[in-house]
mmCIF file of all heavy atoms in Angstrom:
data_model
loop_
_atom_site.group_PDB
_atom_site.id
_atom_site.type_symbol
_atom_site.label_atom_id
_atom_site.label_comp_id
_atom_site.label_asym_id
_atom_site.label_seq_id
_atom_site.Cartn_x
_atom_site.Cartn_y
_atom_site.Cartn_z
ATOM 1 N N LEU A 1 -0.788 -7.181 -8.038
ATOM 2 C CA LEU A 1 -1.684 -6.402 -7.180
ATOM 3 C C LEU A 1 -2.034 -5.074 -7.845
ATOM 4 O O LEU A 1 -3.185 -4.627 -7.813
ATOM 5 C CB LEU A 1 -1.028 -6.149 -5.819
ATOM 6 C CG LEU A 1 -0.997 -7.310 -4.840
ATOM 7 C CD1 LEU A 1 -0.143 -6.954 -3.621
ATOM 8 C CD2 LEU A 1 -2.411 -7.685 -4.377
ATOM 9 N N GLN A 2 -1.027 -4.439 -8.453
ATOM 10 C CA GLN A 2 -1.264 -3.170 -9.133
ATOM 11 C C GLN A 2 -2.348 -3.299 -10.195
ATOM 12 O O GLN A 2 -3.180 -2.399 -10.380
ATOM 13 C CB GLN A 2 0.034 -2.691 -9.789
ATOM 14 C CG GLN A 2 -0.044 -1.304 -10.416
ATOM 15 C CD GLN A 2 0.015 -0.197 -9.377
ATOM 16 O OE1 GLN A 2 1.062 0.054 -8.800
ATOM 17 N NE2 GLN A 2 -1.099 0.471 -9.149
ATOM 18 N N ASP A 3 -2.370 -4.431 -10.872
ATOM 19 C CA ASP A 3 -3.312 -4.625 -11.969
ATOM 20 C C ASP A 3 -4.742 -4.875 -11.503
ATOM 21 O O ASP A 3 -5.672 -4.787 -12.316
ATOM 22 C CB ASP A 3 -2.845 -5.783 -12.862
ATOM 23 C CG ASP A 3 -1.616 -5.434 -13.683
ATOM 24 O OD1 ASP A 3 -1.260 -4.233 -13.743
ATOM 25 O OD2 ASP A 3 -0.986 -6.342 -14.249
ATOM 26 N N VAL A 4 -4.946 -5.214 -10.226
ATOM 27 C CA VAL A 4 -6.317 -5.408 -9.733
ATOM 28 C C VAL A 4 -6.787 -4.239 -8.865
ATOM 29 O O VAL A 4 -7.949 -4.182 -8.479
ATOM 30 C CB VAL A 4 -6.469 -6.732 -8.936
ATOM 31 C CG1 VAL A 4 -6.142 -7.920 -9.807
ATOM 32 C CG2 VAL A 4 -5.626 -6.735 -7.675
ATOM 33 N N VAL A 5 -5.897 -3.316 -8.562
ATOM 34 C CA VAL A 5 -6.247 -2.146 -7.747
ATOM 35 C C VAL A 5 -6.686 -1.007 -8.668
ATOM 36 O O VAL A 5 -5.989 -0.667 -9.615
ATOM 37 C CB VAL A 5 -5.048 -1.688 -6.890
ATOM 38 C CG1 VAL A 5 -5.350 -0.356 -6.213
ATOM 39 C CG2 VAL A 5 -4.705 -2.739 -5.856
ATOM 40 N N ASP A 6 -7.857 -0.456 -8.391
ATOM 41 C CA ASP A 6 -8.278 0.737 -9.106
ATOM 42 C C ASP A 6 -8.576 1.848 -8.098
ATOM 43 O O ASP A 6 -8.327 1.692 -6.898
ATOM 44 C CB ASP A 6 -9.480 0.458 -10.016
ATOM 45 C CG ASP A 6 -10.703 -0.025 -9.248
ATOM 46 O OD1 ASP A 6 -10.825 0.275 -8.036
ATOM 47 O OD2 ASP A 6 -11.558 -0.707 -9.851
ATOM 48 N N ALA A 7 -9.110 2.957 -8.570
ATOM 49 C CA ALA A 7 -9.319 4.112 -7.703
ATOM 50 C C ALA A 7 -10.347 3.851 -6.611
ATOM 51 O O ALA A 7 -10.428 4.604 -5.636
ATOM 52 C CB ALA A 7 -9.748 5.316 -8.539
ATOM 53 N N HIS A 8 -11.137 2.790 -6.757
ATOM 54 C CA HIS A 8 -12.175 2.487 -5.779
ATOM 55 C C HIS A 8 -11.760 1.383 -4.802
ATOM 56 O O HIS A 8 -12.574 0.933 -4.005
ATOM 57 C CB HIS A 8 -13.458 2.079 -6.499
ATOM 58 C CG HIS A 8 -13.957 3.119 -7.453
ATOM 59 N ND1 HIS A 8 -14.475 4.321 -7.042
ATOM 60 C CD2 HIS A 8 -13.986 3.136 -8.810
ATOM 61 C CE1 HIS A 8 -14.814 5.042 -8.101
ATOM 62 N NE2 HIS A 8 -14.528 4.346 -9.184
ATOM 63 N N THR A 9 -10.512 0.960 -4.868
ATOM 64 C CA THR A 9 -10.016 -0.106 -3.989
ATOM 65 C C THR A 9 -9.195 0.503 -2.859
ATOM 66 O O THR A 9 -8.319 1.332 -3.100
ATOM 67 C CB THR A 9 -9.127 -1.094 -4.767
ATOM 68 O OG1 THR A 9 -9.811 -1.523 -5.946
ATOM 69 C CG2 THR A 9 -8.787 -2.304 -3.911
ATOM 70 N N THR A 10 -9.472 0.075 -1.637
ATOM 71 C CA THR A 10 -8.658 0.473 -0.486
ATOM 72 C C THR A 10 -7.730 -0.678 -0.121
ATOM 73 O O THR A 10 -8.146 -1.838 -0.119
ATOM 74 C CB THR A 10 -9.551 0.819 0.721
ATOM 75 O OG1 THR A 10 -10.365 1.952 0.400
ATOM 76 C CG2 THR A 10 -8.705 1.157 1.949
ATOM 77 N N MET A 11 -6.467 -0.361 0.175
ATOM 78 C CA MET A 11 -5.499 -1.370 0.583
ATOM 79 C C MET A 11 -5.032 -1.098 2.007
ATOM 80 O O MET A 11 -4.676 0.033 2.352
ATOM 81 C CB MET A 11 -4.292 -1.391 -0.352
ATOM 82 C CG MET A 11 -4.574 -1.974 -1.721
ATOM 83 S SD MET A 11 -3.047 -2.286 -2.645
ATOM 84 C CE MET A 11 -2.346 -3.631 -1.698
ATOM 85 N N CYS A 12 -5.026 -2.136 2.828
ATOM 86 C CA CYS A 12 -4.545 -2.060 4.209
ATOM 87 C C CYS A 12 -3.327 -2.970 4.334
ATOM 88 O O CYS A 12 -3.438 -4.174 4.090
ATOM 89 C CB CYS A 12 -5.635 -2.506 5.184
ATOM 90 S SG CYS A 12 -7.190 -1.599 5.006
ATOM 91 N N VAL A 13 -2.188 -2.405 4.702
ATOM 92 C CA VAL A 13 -0.929 -3.147 4.659
ATOM 93 C C VAL A 13 -0.355 -3.318 6.063
ATOM 94 O O VAL A 13 -0.249 -2.354 6.827
ATOM 95 C CB VAL A 13 0.093 -2.430 3.747
ATOM 96 C CG1 VAL A 13 1.370 -3.243 3.627
ATOM 97 C CG2 VAL A 13 -0.514 -2.194 2.365
ATOM 98 N N ASP A 14 0.007 -4.537 6.380
ATOM 99 C CA ASP A 14 0.577 -4.906 7.671
ATOM 100 C C ASP A 14 2.050 -4.515 7.723
ATOM 101 O O ASP A 14 2.552 -3.797 6.856
ATOM 102 C CB ASP A 14 0.395 -6.412 7.875
ATOM 103 C CG ASP A 14 -0.064 -6.754 9.284
ATOM 104 O OD1 ASP A 14 0.572 -6.281 10.246
ATOM 105 O OD2 ASP A 14 -1.045 -7.504 9.416
ATOM 106 N N MET A 15 2.758 -5.022 8.725
ATOM 107 C CA MET A 15 4.172 -4.750 8.905
ATOM 108 C C MET A 15 5.021 -5.963 8.527
ATOM 109 O O MET A 15 4.695 -7.089 8.902
ATOM 110 C CB MET A 15 4.459 -4.393 10.362
ATOM 111 C CG MET A 15 4.065 -2.987 10.760
ATOM 112 S SD MET A 15 5.060 -1.718 9.929
ATOM 113 C CE MET A 15 3.935 -1.204 8.629
ATOM 114 N N GLY A 16 6.109 -5.716 7.812
ATOM 115 C CA GLY A 16 7.028 -6.769 7.395
ATOM 116 C C GLY A 16 7.781 -6.316 6.162
ATOM 117 O O GLY A 16 7.558 -5.211 5.653
ATOM 118 N N GLY A 17 8.652 -7.171 5.634
ATOM 119 C CA GLY A 17 9.397 -6.816 4.437
ATOM 120 C C GLY A 17 8.488 -6.466 3.281
ATOM 121 O O GLY A 17 8.798 -5.589 2.461
ATOM 122 N N PHE A 18 7.338 -7.127 3.187
ATOM 123 C CA PHE A 18 6.379 -6.899 2.104
ATOM 124 C C PHE A 18 5.899 -5.454 2.086
ATOM 125 O O PHE A 18 5.605 -4.906 1.025
ATOM 126 C CB PHE A 18 5.185 -7.849 2.241
ATOM 127 C CG PHE A 18 4.479 -7.721 3.556
ATOM 128 C CD1 PHE A 18 3.444 -6.838 3.713
ATOM 129 C CD2 PHE A 18 4.899 -8.459 4.652
ATOM 130 C CE1 PHE A 18 2.824 -6.684 4.938
ATOM 131 C CE2 PHE A 18 4.282 -8.323 5.879
ATOM 132 C CZ PHE A 18 3.236 -7.431 6.021
ATOM 133 N N HIS A 19 5.794 -4.820 3.265
ATOM 134 C CA HIS A 19 5.243 -3.462 3.281
ATOM 135 C C HIS A 19 6.209 -2.472 2.631
ATOM 136 O O HIS A 19 5.784 -1.475 2.047
ATOM 137 C CB HIS A 19 4.858 -3.042 4.714
ATOM 138 C CG HIS A 19 5.806 -2.121 5.402
ATOM 139 N ND1 HIS A 19 6.805 -2.583 6.234
ATOM 140 C CD2 HIS A 19 5.914 -0.764 5.389
ATOM 141 C CE1 HIS A 19 7.481 -1.541 6.703
ATOM 142 N NE2 HIS A 19 6.973 -0.435 6.220
ATOM 143 N N ILE A 20 7.514 -2.762 2.676
ATOM 144 C CA ILE A 20 8.474 -1.890 1.991
ATOM 145 C C ILE A 20 8.343 -2.054 0.480
ATOM 146 O O ILE A 20 8.347 -1.073 -0.270
ATOM 147 C CB ILE A 20 9.912 -2.193 2.452
ATOM 148 C CG1 ILE A 20 10.043 -2.015 3.967
ATOM 149 C CG2 ILE A 20 10.897 -1.270 1.721
ATOM 150 C CD1 ILE A 20 11.412 -2.324 4.512
ATOM 151 N N TRP A 21 8.215 -3.293 0.019
ATOM 152 C CA TRP A 21 8.028 -3.529 -1.414
ATOM 153 C C TRP A 21 6.787 -2.811 -1.919
ATOM 154 O O TRP A 21 6.811 -2.179 -2.983
ATOM 155 C CB TRP A 21 7.918 -5.028 -1.699
ATOM 156 C CG TRP A 21 9.187 -5.797 -1.526
ATOM 157 C CD1 TRP A 21 9.535 -6.588 -0.469
ATOM 158 C CD2 TRP A 21 10.283 -5.863 -2.446
ATOM 159 N NE1 TRP A 21 10.788 -7.140 -0.676
ATOM 160 C CE2 TRP A 21 11.267 -6.716 -1.875
ATOM 161 C CE3 TRP A 21 10.534 -5.295 -3.696
ATOM 162 C CZ2 TRP A 21 12.468 -7.009 -2.513
ATOM 163 C CZ3 TRP A 21 11.737 -5.587 -4.336
ATOM 164 C CH2 TRP A 21 12.688 -6.428 -3.737
ATOM 165 N N ILE A 22 5.694 -2.880 -1.173
ATOM 166 C CA ILE A 22 4.450 -2.246 -1.598
ATOM 167 C C ILE A 22 4.553 -0.728 -1.524
ATOM 168 O O ILE A 22 4.171 -0.010 -2.461
ATOM 169 C CB ILE A 22 3.277 -2.769 -0.742
ATOM 170 C CG1 ILE A 22 2.995 -4.233 -1.094
ATOM 171 C CG2 ILE A 22 2.023 -1.914 -0.953
ATOM 172 C CD1 ILE A 22 1.966 -4.897 -0.198
ATOM 173 N N ALA A 23 5.081 -0.204 -0.419
ATOM 174 C CA ALA A 23 5.188 1.248 -0.258
ATOM 175 C C ALA A 23 6.082 1.863 -1.329
ATOM 176 O O ALA A 23 5.837 2.977 -1.802
ATOM 177 C CB ALA A 23 5.730 1.573 1.135
ATOM 178 N N ARG A 24 7.106 1.123 -1.733
ATOM 179 C CA ARG A 24 8.073 1.673 -2.683
ATOM 180 C C ARG A 24 7.629 1.534 -4.134
ATOM 181 O O ARG A 24 7.904 2.422 -4.958
ATOM 182 C CB ARG A 24 9.421 0.965 -2.482
ATOM 183 C CG ARG A 24 10.553 1.568 -3.294
ATOM 184 C CD ARG A 24 11.882 0.917 -2.958
ATOM 185 N NE ARG A 24 12.352 1.286 -1.622
ATOM 186 C CZ ARG A 24 13.523 0.891 -1.106
ATOM 187 N NH1 ARG A 24 14.331 0.126 -1.830
ATOM 188 N NH2 ARG A 24 13.868 1.262 0.098
ATOM 189 N N TYR A 25 6.902 0.456 -4.467
ATOM 190 C CA TYR A 25 6.687 0.148 -5.876
ATOM 191 C C TYR A 25 5.231 0.105 -6.325
ATOM 192 O O TYR A 25 4.976 0.032 -7.525
ATOM 193 C CB TYR A 25 7.356 -1.194 -6.217
ATOM 194 C CG TYR A 25 8.848 -1.157 -6.011
ATOM 195 C CD1 TYR A 25 9.455 -1.891 -5.001
ATOM 196 C CD2 TYR A 25 9.658 -0.350 -6.810
ATOM 197 C CE1 TYR A 25 10.831 -1.847 -4.801
ATOM 198 C CE2 TYR A 25 11.027 -0.296 -6.619
ATOM 199 C CZ TYR A 25 11.609 -1.043 -5.613
ATOM 200 O OH TYR A 25 12.954 -0.988 -5.415
ATOM 201 N N LEU A 26 4.262 0.148 -5.414
ATOM 202 C CA LEU A 26 2.867 0.129 -5.840
ATOM 203 C C LEU A 26 2.324 1.548 -5.866
ATOM 204 O O LEU A 26 2.471 2.293 -4.902
ATOM 205 C CB LEU A 26 2.026 -0.748 -4.907
ATOM 206 C CG LEU A 26 0.598 -1.030 -5.395
ATOM 207 C CD1 LEU A 26 0.223 -2.490 -5.176
ATOM 208 C CD2 LEU A 26 -0.407 -0.129 -4.693
ATOM 209 N N HIS A 27 1.694 1.933 -6.970
ATOM 210 C CA HIS A 27 1.152 3.282 -7.121
ATOM 211 C C HIS A 27 -0.260 3.332 -6.536
ATOM 212 O O HIS A 27 -1.056 2.416 -6.722
ATOM 213 C CB HIS A 27 1.088 3.683 -8.602
ATOM 214 C CG HIS A 27 2.405 3.580 -9.296
ATOM 215 N ND1 HIS A 27 2.520 3.595 -10.667
ATOM 216 C CD2 HIS A 27 3.674 3.454 -8.816
ATOM 217 C CE1 HIS A 27 3.803 3.492 -11.012
ATOM 218 N NE2 HIS A 27 4.507 3.398 -9.904
ATOM 219 N N SER A 28 -0.577 4.415 -5.849
ATOM 220 C CA SER A 28 -1.940 4.631 -5.373
ATOM 221 C C SER A 28 -2.521 5.843 -6.086
ATOM 222 O O SER A 28 -1.791 6.670 -6.633
ATOM 223 C CB SER A 28 -1.975 4.817 -3.855
ATOM 224 O OG SER A 28 -1.154 5.895 -3.466
ATOM 225 N N PHE A 29 -3.862 5.951 -6.076
ATOM 226 C CA PHE A 29 -4.538 6.919 -6.917
ATOM 227 C C PHE A 29 -5.232 8.034 -6.150
ATOM 228 O O PHE A 29 -5.630 9.028 -6.738
ATOM 229 C CB PHE A 29 -5.586 6.199 -7.787
ATOM 230 C CG PHE A 29 -5.016 5.058 -8.579
ATOM 231 C CD1 PHE A 29 -5.096 3.755 -8.096
ATOM 232 C CD2 PHE A 29 -4.382 5.273 -9.786
ATOM 233 C CE1 PHE A 29 -4.565 2.708 -8.817
ATOM 234 C CE2 PHE A 29 -3.849 4.223 -10.508
ATOM 235 C CZ PHE A 29 -3.942 2.927 -10.024
ATOM 236 N N ARG A 30 -5.434 7.880 -4.861
ATOM 237 C CA ARG A 30 -6.156 8.887 -4.100
ATOM 238 C C ARG A 30 -5.666 8.881 -2.654
ATOM 239 O O ARG A 30 -5.002 7.934 -2.218
ATOM 240 C CB ARG A 30 -7.675 8.623 -4.131
ATOM 241 C CG ARG A 30 -8.072 7.253 -3.596
ATOM 242 C CD ARG A 30 -9.582 7.091 -3.511
ATOM 243 N NE ARG A 30 -9.970 5.713 -3.263
ATOM 244 C CZ ARG A 30 -9.974 5.132 -2.068
ATOM 245 N NH1 ARG A 30 -9.587 5.818 -1.005
ATOM 246 N NH2 ARG A 30 -10.354 3.871 -1.928
ATOM 247 N N ALA A 31 -5.992 9.939 -1.929
ATOM 248 C CA ALA A 31 -5.627 10.021 -0.519
ATOM 249 C C ALA A 31 -6.322 8.913 0.262
ATOM 250 O O ALA A 31 -7.468 8.567 -0.002
ATOM 251 C CB ALA A 31 -6.029 11.383 0.044
ATOM 252 N N ARG A 32 -5.588 8.345 1.214
ATOM 253 C CA ARG A 32 -6.100 7.290 2.099
ATOM 254 C C ARG A 32 -6.519 6.031 1.353
ATOM 255 O O ARG A 32 -7.354 5.272 1.823
ATOM 256 C CB ARG A 32 -7.248 7.823 2.976
ATOM 257 C CG ARG A 32 -6.799 8.862 3.981
ATOM 258 C CD ARG A 32 -7.933 9.377 4.831
ATOM 259 N NE ARG A 32 -8.884 10.158 4.060
ATOM 260 C CZ ARG A 32 -8.706 11.438 3.735
ATOM 261 N NH1 ARG A 32 -7.625 12.076 4.132
ATOM 262 N NH2 ARG A 32 -9.615 12.094 3.037
ATOM 263 N N GLN A 33 -5.953 5.819 0.177
ATOM 264 C CA GLN A 33 -6.210 4.565 -0.528
ATOM 265 C C GLN A 33 -5.285 3.463 -0.040
ATOM 266 O O GLN A 33 -5.699 2.319 0.125
ATOM 267 C CB GLN A 33 -6.023 4.738 -2.038
ATOM 268 C CG GLN A 33 -6.248 3.421 -2.803
ATOM 269 C CD GLN A 33 -6.086 3.568 -4.296
ATOM 270 O OE1 GLN A 33 -5.294 4.388 -4.763
ATOM 271 N NE2 GLN A 33 -6.835 2.794 -5.052
ATOM 272 N N LEU A 34 -4.017 3.805 0.185
ATOM 273 C CA LEU A 34 -3.017 2.841 0.639
ATOM 274 C C LEU A 34 -2.694 3.157 2.094
ATOM 275 O O LEU A 34 -2.054 4.165 2.394
ATOM 276 C CB LEU A 34 -1.765 2.936 -0.239
ATOM 277 C CG LEU A 34 -0.636 1.946 0.040
ATOM 278 C CD1 LEU A 34 -1.108 0.515 -0.153
ATOM 279 C CD2 LEU A 34 0.560 2.232 -0.855
ATOM 280 N N LEU A 35 -3.155 2.319 2.999
ATOM 281 C CA LEU A 35 -3.030 2.567 4.426
ATOM 282 C C LEU A 35 -1.885 1.741 5.004
ATOM 283 O O LEU A 35 -1.922 0.509 4.972
ATOM 284 C CB LEU A 35 -4.338 2.226 5.142
ATOM 285 C CG LEU A 35 -5.599 2.897 4.569
ATOM 286 C CD1 LEU A 35 -6.832 2.453 5.340
ATOM 287 C CD2 LEU A 35 -5.472 4.415 4.598
ATOM 288 N N ILE A 36 -0.856 2.422 5.516
ATOM 289 C CA ILE A 36 0.320 1.768 6.096
ATOM 290 C C ILE A 36 0.709 2.522 7.362
ATOM 291 O O ILE A 36 0.804 3.749 7.345
ATOM 292 C CB ILE A 36 1.521 1.760 5.127
ATOM 293 C CG1 ILE A 36 1.169 1.058 3.811
ATOM 294 C CG2 ILE A 36 2.729 1.086 5.756
ATOM 295 C CD1 ILE A 36 2.297 1.056 2.795
ATOM 296 N N THR A 37 0.953 1.812 8.451
ATOM 297 C CA THR A 37 1.395 2.478 9.671
ATOM 298 C C THR A 37 2.902 2.689 9.703
ATOM 299 O O THR A 37 3.424 3.306 10.634
ATOM 300 C CB THR A 37 0.975 1.681 10.913
ATOM 301 O OG1 THR A 37 1.510 0.361 10.821
ATOM 302 C CG2 THR A 37 -0.527 1.617 11.037
ATOM 303 N N ASN A 38 3.586 2.171 8.698
ATOM 304 C CA ASN A 38 5.019 2.382 8.479
ATOM 305 C C ASN A 38 5.851 1.974 9.689
ATOM 306 O O ASN A 38 5.864 0.803 10.038
ATOM 307 C CB ASN A 38 5.288 3.826 8.072
ATOM 308 C CG ASN A 38 6.499 3.937 7.163
ATOM 309 O OD1 ASN A 38 6.983 2.930 6.651
ATOM 310 N ND2 ASN A 38 6.994 5.123 6.954
ATOM 311 N N GLY A 39 6.496 2.898 10.380
ATOM 312 C CA GLY A 39 7.444 2.525 11.425
ATOM 313 C C GLY A 39 6.829 2.212 12.775
ATOM 314 O O GLY A 39 7.564 2.081 13.761
ATOM 315 N N GLN A 40 5.513 2.101 12.851
ATOM 316 C CA GLN A 40 4.870 1.901 14.147
ATOM 317 C C GLN A 40 4.911 0.441 14.631
ATOM 318 O O GLN A 40 4.479 0.137 15.742
ATOM 319 C CB GLN A 40 3.410 2.374 14.082
ATOM 320 C CG GLN A 40 3.258 3.840 13.697
ATOM 321 C CD GLN A 40 4.005 4.760 14.639
ATOM 322 O OE1 GLN A 40 3.913 4.636 15.856
ATOM 323 N NE2 GLN A 40 4.778 5.694 14.069
ATOM 324 N N GLN A 41 5.367 -0.485 13.774
ATOM 325 C CA GLN A 41 5.532 -1.891 14.168
ATOM 326 C C GLN A 41 4.218 -2.535 14.619
ATOM 327 O O GLN A 41 4.180 -3.308 15.579
ATOM 328 C CB GLN A 41 6.588 -2.016 15.278
ATOM 329 C CG GLN A 41 7.958 -1.470 14.913
ATOM 330 C CD GLN A 41 8.593 -2.193 13.735
ATOM 331 O OE1 GLN A 41 8.551 -3.417 13.663
ATOM 332 N NE2 GLN A 41 9.164 -1.448 12.810
ATOM 333 N N THR A 42 3.132 -2.222 13.931
ATOM 334 C CA THR A 42 1.805 -2.720 14.310
ATOM 335 C C THR A 42 1.515 -4.048 13.622
ATOM 336 O O THR A 42 0.606 -4.159 12.793
ATOM 337 C CB THR A 42 0.721 -1.690 13.938
ATOM 338 O OG1 THR A 42 0.906 -1.329 12.557
ATOM 339 C CG2 THR A 42 0.820 -0.465 14.801
#
């Protein structure tokens, strides 16, 4: 995923174990590029 994401890509992430992997290990390049509600259980 990191290799296909550039500064012009927006990512919207759901809730689950996957969101921790993404939040912890995927780099983002600008504000509001990686959208996660985190502990809201949405």
Side-chain angles (χ1 to χ4, degrees):
L1 284 172
Q2 186 77 72
D3 289 348
V4 299
V5 171
D6 61 25
H8 303 291
T9 309
T10 297
M11 288 192 69
C12 305
V13 184
D14 223 309
M15 283 293 101
F18 57 90
H19 103 266
I20 302 179
W21 290 102
I22 290 173
R24 187 175 289 183
Y25 298 112
L26 190 137
H27 304 165
S28 57
F29 306 96
R30 58 174 168 81
R32 293 180 292 279
Q33 178 179 32
L34 183 61
L35 307 179
I36 302 178
T37 57
N38 210 13
Q40 301 303 313
Q41 302 298 316
T42 51

